[in-house]
Amino acid sequence: RWGSFIADGNGNITGGVYDHNGGSLGLQIDQPIAGGSYSISLNGFGTITLNTANGPITFGVATGTPVNMRIIHFNENGSNGSWGSGAIRQQNPSDFNRASLVGNWALGIQGFNPSGTPRAIAGTYQEDSQGNIAGVEDINDSGTVLNDEPFTGSPVGSIDQTYGRVTSQILLNGKTYTNAVYVVSANEKLLVAIDAGGALQTGNNLRQSGSFNNGTMNGHGITRAAGQSGHGGSNVFVGLITADGNGNVTAKLDQNKDGVLGQSTSIGTYSVASNSRTVISFTDGSTQYAYLVGPNEGFAISNGGGASLGFFEPQSAGPFTNASFSGEFLGGTLPAGISSVNTFIESFLSDGNGNIFDTYDESGSNGTNLNQQAVFTYSVDSTGRMLVMSGANTIGIRSEEHTSELQSLR
């Protein structure tokens, strides 16, 4: 589900639209949001209720910054309900026009194919002044990988001037796919697939900057990914990827795959094409296909079973210590690859001396639990890898400076 709504600054939602695909409601295209309400507490936590023709939809939100708020869907019906996690971006209505969107874009898409098995896509395209696009993408369709696939696309109608929504049709391998696209700004667009009986997938589009070659990857980057393993379980990882600018790369990862925690270090080579497509080949036989947004930043998929979408971004200069992680933080879980995974939003205070005081809301198969409290300890090494613990239990592995968390094991 993606959508757009207007908040008035006084606790009221004055209107909006949304697109939904899947679950008991099936396909809902360009549906109105008939008002609603919201409330934000002093710690940055809050709730948002959107009134729709199918009943109210309630979310928990960790506000953070306007460009990166995290939400979870409150499950109010136990095992018969629904839950999930996502993000809110503040839109810039002045960019709801074709001229603002001209240029080169990288994309990452994740979800499930029509058979219900996982799919992940990374790619790039160029958009012209009429909204027509042409590009290439790599697809991992439940372990079957399609490389460097060309596609084209065109808009259906104009961009809605209130909510930034437009319908787009994509032609790939002789088939037409339809998406609802929401313009966030001249630098970001979000999409959701809206084909009846088609894939259940959402995606992000980020504007690319600069030219691309091996030197575009040079230095340290934080990488994270979430999806489904080849065995039907959850597969998530965070870590550090280091490139030398000359085609050599090292990846150090912490992974939770099918409930089993592990660490790995892989070395390999990479090659960046002028359109940003990057092939990373590791000596263990695994391959990553990435499309860069800019230096040390981009979307990636792998050639393994299942399908996970990854994203990496630059890391600030180290070395790091416990004091590097100090202050108040708001965040939430990445979209889960399987329905059995609970979702969280969090507000935690770190004292810079190895202690975290955590408040979180949780939504999952047992319903919604609000204002839960926990105290953790943590330790940060010089590379930015942070181990978070509750007694003798590992809670998560986070990497600095932007905090990424391995799946919580509460």
Side-chain angles (χ1 to χ4, degrees):
R1 178 190 293 134
W2 282 123
S4 172
F5 63 84
I6 297 174
D8 69 355
N10 293 304
N12 302 300
I13 303 297
T14 61
V17 296
Y18 73 97
D19 292 84
H20 173 98
N21 201 351
S24 60
L25 295 178
L27 181 61
Q28 304 281 318
I29 298 176
D30 200 12
Q31 296 295 299
I33 296 171
S37 61
Y38 68 94
S39 176
I40 307 298
S41 63
L42 291 177
N43 69 353
F45 269 24
T47 59
I48 301 172
T49 298
L50 306 177
N51 296 328
T52 76
N54 296 300
I57 305 170
T58 301
F59 301 94
V61 58
T63 52
T65 64
V67 296
N68 192 20
M69 293 179 276
R70 293 290 180 177
I71 60 172
I72 57 173
H73 182 194
F74 281 178
N75 175 18
E76 299 173 303
N77 295 302
S79 59
N80 294 320
S82 61
W83 58 95
S85 58
I88 296 178
R89 301 281 197 264
Q90 186 175 45
Q91 292 177 290
N92 183 1
S94 66
D95 291 330
F96 295 169
N97 60 82
R98 294 290 176 206
S100 294
L101 305 179
V102 171
N104 297 317
W105 296 79
L107 66 86
I109 298 173
Q110 185 174 23
F112 300 90
N113 63 28
S115 298
T117 54
R119 174 187 288 169
I121 301 169
T124 182
Y125 63 89
Q126 186 176 65
E127 183 165 345
D128 68 17
S129 60
Q130 303 302 312
N132 301 305
I133 65 174
V136 295
E137 62 187 21
D138 288 71
I139 306 168
N140 185 331
D141 200 343
S142 300
T144 299
V145 179
L146 303 175
N147 292 127
D148 213 9
E149 295 288 319
F151 67 90
T152 59
S154 58
V156 179
S158 59
I159 302 172
D160 183 282
Q161 292 301 292
T162 302
Y163 301 114
R165 183 193 182 279
V166 65
T167 300
S168 176
Q169 290 188 326
I170 303 299
L171 181 63
L172 171 69
N173 290 330
K175 295 182 179 180
T176 300
Y177 302 91
T178 308
N179 297 316
V181 178
Y182 287 84
V183 177
V184 177
S185 68
N187 297 313
E188 184 175 19
K189 297 179 289 183
L190 305 176
L191 67 85
V192 58
I194 54 171
D195 289 309
L200 305 179
Q201 57 191 32
T202 60
N204 195 1
N205 305 253
L206 296 177
R207 181 180 293 279
Q208 295 173 308
S209 61
S211 58
F212 298 99
N213 52 54
N214 280 5
T216 310
M217 289 187 62
N218 190 358
H220 300 303
I222 298 300
T223 182
R224 63 182 185 270
Q228 192 175 117
S229 73
H231 304 289
S234 182
N235 183 25
V236 295
F237 68 76
V238 295
L240 182 69
I241 184 168
T242 304
D244 69 355
N246 293 305
N248 301 295
V249 65
T250 301
K252 297 182 178 181
L253 304 178
D254 287 272
Q255 185 175 32
N256 185 334
K257 186 175 183 179
D258 299 321
V260 179
L261 293 173
Q263 293 177 254
S264 65
T265 298
S266 301
I267 59 174
T269 59
Y270 69 92
S271 178
V272 180
S274 60
N275 69 348
S276 85
R277 183 176 186 266
T278 303
V279 180
I280 307 173
S281 302
F282 292 105
T283 55
D284 62 5
S286 63
T287 303
Q288 295 276 326
Y289 303 99
Y291 287 84
L292 302 181
V293 177
N296 298 328
E297 181 180 12
F299 299 100
I301 66 168
S302 71
N303 66 342
S308 297
L309 177 67
F311 186 77
F312 54 94
E313 57 191 319
Q315 184 188 39
S316 297
F320 300 96
T321 66
N322 281 3
S324 303
F325 191 70
S326 178
E328 186 175 3
F329 297 82
L330 293 168
T333 50
L334 296 171
I338 58 175
S339 60
S340 60
V341 174
N342 288 359
T343 57
F344 299 87
I345 52 173
E346 293 184 283
S347 171
F348 49 87
L349 179 66
S350 173
D351 65 0
N353 292 309
N355 302 291
I356 293 174
F357 307 92
D358 189 18
T359 301
Y360 63 93
D361 291 347
E362 176 184 12
S363 184
S365 59
N366 293 321
T368 299
N369 298 305
L370 304 179
N371 295 315
Q372 304 298 297
Q373 306 288 324
V375 178
F376 305 130
T377 59
Y378 72 90
S379 177
V380 179
D381 71 16
S382 62
T383 69
R385 180 180 183 269
M386 183 168 75
L387 181 65
V388 185
M389 295 163 288
S390 175
N393 298 316
T394 300
I395 302 300
I397 307 296
R398 292 180 166 93
S399 299
E400 303 293 347
E401 173 168 272
H402 296 292
T403 303
S404 299
E405 183 180 357
L406 191 61
Q407 182 176 337
S408 180
L409 300 176
R410 293 188 183 88

